[in-house]
Amino acid sequence: MSPHQPQHLYYEGKQQKASSGKTFETIDPSTAKPLATIHSASHSDIDAAIASASTAFHSWSHTPPNQRCRILLKAVQILRERNDQLAKVESQDTGKPFSETSTVDIVTGADTLEYYANLVGGGGLNGETVTLREGEDGSAWVYTRKEPLGVCVGIGAWNYPIQIALWKSGPCLAAGNTMIYKPSEYTPLHALLLADIFTQAGLPPGVFNVVHGAGDVGGYLTSHPSVAKVSFTGQVSTGRKVAASAAGGMKYVTMELGGKSPLLVLDDCEVDNAVDGAMMANFFSSGQVCTNGTRVFVPRKLKAAFEKRLVEKMEYIRAGDLADSATNFGPLSSKSHWQKVTEYIRHGIDADKAKLLYGGLGAPNVPSRLKDGYWVNPTVFTDCTDDMRICREEIFGPVLCILPYDTVDEAVERANNTSLGLAAGVFTKDLNLAHKVVARLQAGITWINSWGESPSEMSVGGWKMSGVGVENGRKGIEAWVRNKSTLVDMGGQVATVFAKL
Ligand code: NDP
């Protein structure tokens, strides 16, 4: 299947024509040229996809876990065999360099699918037994089962398309659910490729399905009465709408939302390592990562040394042809996002009056055939204050803000002074202090002397407005099952109060 052909829908184990008549185009952000035409699902298409998923649920949820495991591991194998081909598509669709997509996006997605296939196949999704009474005539106990939910919806953001699809479908399908997946309209090209891989691996028709479209398609899915759960990745504002819509039908939800994460550099840190951490936290994927550490708190006495090394290392950022293995910085993913990030940089300079240390408005030097792409300069502001808009709102672009501080207590307090709580981190050689600081930071994902690594074993999810629930790790599977408790009484007599006096 070519990702450049018109893209339709996928249910009943094969591609299906969309009937809405509505189409949109996906664009290569490095050139601003169209890549493919996508057909949006109509309500009746979505109903058909959900009907297919509902039918498949009965047999898939009764398929023995080790058989589900075998099929999903086959999909892992195909994903790894096709890593570079899929990475090329992701690069074109998202604008991320091939050096990133070929080493991170498919790799981390396949790892998570493998993790959950093995977890469930190895008997890791069992309940518990609790003894209540033991005795010849009165043994009683409770046992619990973890049962799949039914038809689940996965709605993805545009920054890590295939990774998000796999982080959702991996535990969902391993636990015995079926899924309707809606990719972002900005980066839809991975979806049919993934559906095809699942089918080739032996996944029965209807277990993984794809519908395309914008927010209205997502809205119809989240309010559909046959849907048991919605797993959403996106902005806080959209997450609010999705959670409210799902609450109407008392559906289970997982919300992976935005952040404005603090990175605390302490004065005894290894400066080079802290600078590397700050750069990974702001310029990897051109800053389009939910866990970006955009508020970099630096002790006043270390500021000059930190800034000097940062400016030196900024020269290692290389924009250019995405297929070139030396390129490590791409454009922003869409024109509207480029406008938004550019506006934040302008606001930082003109209205916030932040001091520009590096970059600013304009674009990096790229070959002439890429001149129309959605490029912005990697940008560093310094001497920032907490009240600046660039330090309060999620920019989701390559904009790093340095906030000087005097004491660790002050830095922690300021770091927590936000309604968001996705990620946080600290750089210091004093590990006792590192643990104390992390314990006080209000965030669901934290790092010590590191930033950004998010392996399948690590449960990740936001606090406060950054989300509900977690993905990945042992805890991640719990979001895709419901509990059934059964009390067994071997005594043969109900302990009744309605006995004859
Ligand atoms: P959006 O919230 O704009 O969109 C996310 C998805 O929701 C898209 O598929 C979108 O469709 C869909 N959608 C839009 N409106 C509705 C609706 N009313 N009902 C149901 N679905 C709807 O987010 P972005 O795509 O802009 O992604 C960037 C955001 O995602 C950032 O805030 C980032 O921090 C966050 N994010 C969080 C992660 C986490 O794990 N915490 C990971 C990655 C990103 P369409 O766009 O096609 O209209």
Side-chain angles (χ1 to χ4, degrees), residues 263-293:
L263 184 158
L264 274 61
V265 176
L266 304 196
D267 58 11
D268 70 333
C269 73
E270 187 67 58
V271 174
D272 243 46
N273 194 43
V275 166
D276 286 342
M279 288 184 67
M280 286 302 285
N282 282 278
F283 304 116
F284 193 73
S285 283
S286 298
Q288 301 165 116
V289 184
C290 54
T291 51
N292 265 358

Short mmCIF file of all heavy atoms in Angstrom, two decimals, residues 263-293:
data_model
loop_
_atom_site.label_atom_id
_atom_site.label_comp_id
_atom_site.label_asym_id
_atom_site.label_seq_id
_atom_site.Cartn_x
_atom_site.Cartn_y
_atom_site.Cartn_z
N LEU A 263 12.68 22.34 34.16
CA LEU A 263 13.94 21.60 34.25
C LEU A 263 14.83 22.39 35.20
O LEU A 263 15.13 23.56 34.93
CB LEU A 263 14.54 21.50 32.85
CG LEU A 263 15.82 20.70 32.63
CD1 LEU A 263 15.93 20.30 31.16
CD2 LEU A 263 17.06 21.47 33.03
N LEU A 264 15.19 21.78 36.33
CA LEU A 264 15.95 22.50 37.35
C LEU A 264 17.43 22.14 37.27
O LEU A 264 17.80 20.98 37.46
CB LEU A 264 15.42 22.16 38.75
CG LEU A 264 14.24 23.00 39.25
CD1 LEU A 264 13.02 22.85 38.37
CD2 LEU A 264 13.90 22.62 40.69
N VAL A 265 18.23 23.13 36.98
CA VAL A 265 19.69 22.96 36.96
C VAL A 265 20.18 23.42 38.34
O VAL A 265 19.92 24.56 38.73
CB VAL A 265 20.30 23.84 35.85
CG1 VAL A 265 21.81 23.77 35.87
CG2 VAL A 265 19.75 23.44 34.48
N LEU A 266 20.85 22.54 39.09
CA LEU A 266 21.37 22.95 40.40
C LEU A 266 22.85 23.35 40.26
O LEU A 266 23.52 22.96 39.29
CB LEU A 266 21.19 21.85 41.43
CG LEU A 266 19.75 21.32 41.62
CD1 LEU A 266 19.66 20.52 42.91
CD2 LEU A 266 18.70 22.42 41.62
N ASP A 267 23.34 24.13 41.23
CA ASP A 267 24.63 24.79 40.99
C ASP A 267 25.83 23.85 40.99
O ASP A 267 26.90 24.21 40.53
CB ASP A 267 24.85 25.98 41.93
CG ASP A 267 24.77 25.58 43.39
OD1 ASP A 267 24.76 24.36 43.67
OD2 ASP A 267 24.73 26.48 44.25
N ASP A 268 25.64 22.59 41.48
CA ASP A 268 26.77 21.65 41.48
C ASP A 268 26.73 20.70 40.28
O ASP A 268 27.48 19.73 40.23
CB ASP A 268 26.74 20.81 42.77
CG ASP A 268 25.57 19.83 42.72
OD1 ASP A 268 24.57 20.14 42.04
OD2 ASP A 268 25.66 18.75 43.33
N CYS A 269 25.87 20.98 39.32
CA CYS A 269 25.65 20.00 38.23
C CYS A 269 26.86 19.93 37.30
O CYS A 269 27.72 20.81 37.29
CB CYS A 269 24.43 20.38 37.42
SG CYS A 269 24.73 21.80 36.38
N GLU A 270 26.86 18.91 36.49
CA GLU A 270 27.81 18.78 35.38
C GLU A 270 27.24 19.67 34.27
O GLU A 270 26.23 19.31 33.65
CB GLU A 270 27.83 17.31 34.97
CG GLU A 270 28.85 16.90 33.95
CD GLU A 270 30.26 17.00 34.48
OE1 GLU A 270 30.56 16.35 35.51
OE2 GLU A 270 31.02 17.75 33.87
N VAL A 271 27.84 20.85 34.04
CA VAL A 271 27.21 21.84 33.16
C VAL A 271 26.96 21.28 31.76
O VAL A 271 25.89 21.45 31.18
CB VAL A 271 28.05 23.15 33.08
CG1 VAL A 271 27.48 24.11 32.05
CG2 VAL A 271 28.07 23.82 34.44
N ASP A 272 27.95 20.56 31.24
CA ASP A 272 27.80 20.03 29.89
C ASP A 272 26.58 19.11 29.79
O ASP A 272 25.81 19.18 28.83
CB ASP A 272 29.05 19.21 29.53
CG ASP A 272 29.78 19.83 28.37
OD1 ASP A 272 29.95 21.06 28.40
OD2 ASP A 272 30.13 19.07 27.44
N ASN A 273 26.42 18.27 30.81
CA ASN A 273 25.28 17.33 30.80
C ASN A 273 23.96 18.07 30.93
O ASN A 273 22.97 17.75 30.27
CB ASN A 273 25.45 16.31 31.93
CG ASN A 273 24.52 15.14 31.78
OD1 ASN A 273 24.34 14.62 30.67
ND2 ASN A 273 23.89 14.71 32.86
N ALA A 274 23.94 19.11 31.78
CA ALA A 274 22.71 19.89 31.96
C ALA A 274 22.35 20.63 30.68
O ALA A 274 21.17 20.72 30.30
CB ALA A 274 22.89 20.88 33.11
N VAL A 275 23.36 21.13 29.97
CA VAL A 275 23.10 21.82 28.70
C VAL A 275 22.55 20.80 27.68
O VAL A 275 21.57 21.08 26.98
CB VAL A 275 24.39 22.50 28.17
CG1 VAL A 275 24.22 22.92 26.71
CG2 VAL A 275 24.73 23.71 29.04
N ASP A 276 23.15 19.62 27.63
CA ASP A 276 22.63 18.59 26.72
C ASP A 276 21.19 18.26 27.06
O ASP A 276 20.34 18.11 26.17
CB ASP A 276 23.48 17.31 26.80
CG ASP A 276 24.83 17.47 26.11
OD1 ASP A 276 24.98 18.39 25.29
OD2 ASP A 276 25.74 16.67 26.41
N GLY A 277 20.91 18.14 28.37
CA GLY A 277 19.53 17.84 28.80
C GLY A 277 18.57 18.93 28.37
O GLY A 277 17.49 18.65 27.82
N ALA A 278 18.98 20.18 28.57
CA ALA A 278 18.11 21.30 28.20
C ALA A 278 17.89 21.34 26.70
O ALA A 278 16.79 21.68 26.22
CB ALA A 278 18.72 22.61 28.68
N MET A 279 18.91 20.99 25.95
CA MET A 279 18.74 21.01 24.48
C MET A 279 17.83 19.89 24.01
O MET A 279 16.96 20.08 23.17
CB MET A 279 20.11 20.94 23.79
CG MET A 279 20.87 22.25 23.95
SD MET A 279 22.43 22.26 23.09
CE MET A 279 21.91 22.23 21.37
N MET A 280 18.02 18.68 24.59
CA MET A 280 17.13 17.57 24.22
C MET A 280 15.69 17.91 24.62
O MET A 280 14.73 17.54 23.96
CB MET A 280 17.56 16.28 24.93
CG MET A 280 18.80 15.64 24.34
SD MET A 280 18.60 15.24 22.59
CE MET A 280 17.57 13.79 22.66
N ALA A 281 15.55 18.64 25.73
CA ALA A 281 14.23 18.98 26.26
C ALA A 281 13.55 20.11 25.48
O ALA A 281 12.40 20.45 25.78
CB ALA A 281 14.35 19.37 27.73
N ASN A 282 14.25 20.71 24.54
CA ASN A 282 13.65 21.84 23.82
C ASN A 282 13.77 21.79 22.31
O ASN A 282 12.97 22.42 21.61
CB ASN A 282 14.28 23.16 24.31
CG ASN A 282 13.69 23.58 25.65
OD1 ASN A 282 12.63 24.19 25.69
ND2 ASN A 282 14.36 23.23 26.74
N PHE A 283 14.77 21.06 21.80
CA PHE A 283 14.99 21.11 20.35
C PHE A 283 14.81 19.78 19.65
O PHE A 283 14.75 19.73 18.43
CB PHE A 283 16.37 21.72 20.06
CG PHE A 283 16.51 23.07 20.71
CD1 PHE A 283 17.45 23.30 21.70
CD2 PHE A 283 15.65 24.11 20.36
CE1 PHE A 283 17.55 24.54 22.32
CE2 PHE A 283 15.74 25.35 20.98
CZ PHE A 283 16.68 25.57 21.96
N PHE A 284 14.74 18.67 20.43
CA PHE A 284 14.45 17.37 19.81
C PHE A 284 13.04 17.46 19.20
O PHE A 284 12.14 18.07 19.78
CB PHE A 284 14.49 16.27 20.88
CG PHE A 284 14.51 14.89 20.31
CD1 PHE A 284 15.65 14.39 19.70
CD2 PHE A 284 13.38 14.08 20.37
CE1 PHE A 284 15.66 13.10 19.17
CE2 PHE A 284 13.39 12.79 19.84
CZ PHE A 284 14.54 12.31 19.24
N SER A 285 12.87 16.93 18.03
CA SER A 285 11.58 17.04 17.31
C SER A 285 11.16 18.51 17.16
O SER A 285 9.98 18.83 17.16
CB SER A 285 10.46 16.28 18.01
OG SER A 285 10.58 14.92 17.78
N SER A 286 12.15 19.38 17.06
CA SER A 286 11.89 20.83 16.95
C SER A 286 10.97 21.33 18.05
O SER A 286 10.13 22.21 17.84
CB SER A 286 11.33 21.17 15.56
OG SER A 286 12.27 20.83 14.58
N GLY A 287 11.13 20.74 19.22
CA GLY A 287 10.36 21.20 20.38
C GLY A 287 8.92 20.74 20.39
O GLY A 287 8.14 21.16 21.24
N GLN A 288 8.56 19.83 19.51
CA GLN A 288 7.17 19.37 19.44
C GLN A 288 7.00 18.07 20.23
O GLN A 288 6.57 17.05 19.71
CB GLN A 288 6.76 19.20 17.98
CG GLN A 288 6.88 20.50 17.19
CD GLN A 288 6.83 20.30 15.69
OE1 GLN A 288 5.93 20.77 15.04
NE2 GLN A 288 7.78 19.59 15.13
N VAL A 289 7.37 18.13 21.48
CA VAL A 289 7.28 16.98 22.38
C VAL A 289 6.50 17.43 23.61
O VAL A 289 6.78 18.50 24.17
CB VAL A 289 8.68 16.48 22.81
CG1 VAL A 289 8.57 15.22 23.65
CG2 VAL A 289 9.55 16.22 21.59
N CYS A 290 5.53 16.61 24.03
CA CYS A 290 4.66 17.04 25.13
C CYS A 290 5.44 17.27 26.42
O CYS A 290 5.10 18.13 27.21
CB CYS A 290 3.55 16.03 25.35
SG CYS A 290 4.18 14.36 25.58
N THR A 291 6.52 16.49 26.62
CA THR A 291 7.27 16.59 27.88
C THR A 291 8.40 17.62 27.82
O THR A 291 9.29 17.61 28.68
CB THR A 291 7.88 15.22 28.24
OG1 THR A 291 8.59 14.74 27.10
CG2 THR A 291 6.83 14.21 28.67
N ASN A 292 8.39 18.48 26.83
CA ASN A 292 9.44 19.50 26.73
C ASN A 292 9.71 20.20 28.05
O ASN A 292 8.78 20.66 28.71
CB ASN A 292 8.99 20.59 25.76
CG ASN A 292 9.51 20.33 24.39
OD1 ASN A 292 10.24 19.37 24.19
ND2 ASN A 292 9.16 21.17 23.46
N GLY A 293 10.99 20.36 28.37
CA GLY A 293 11.35 21.12 29.57
C GLY A 293 11.62 22.56 29.17
O GLY A 293 12.78 22.99 29.05
#
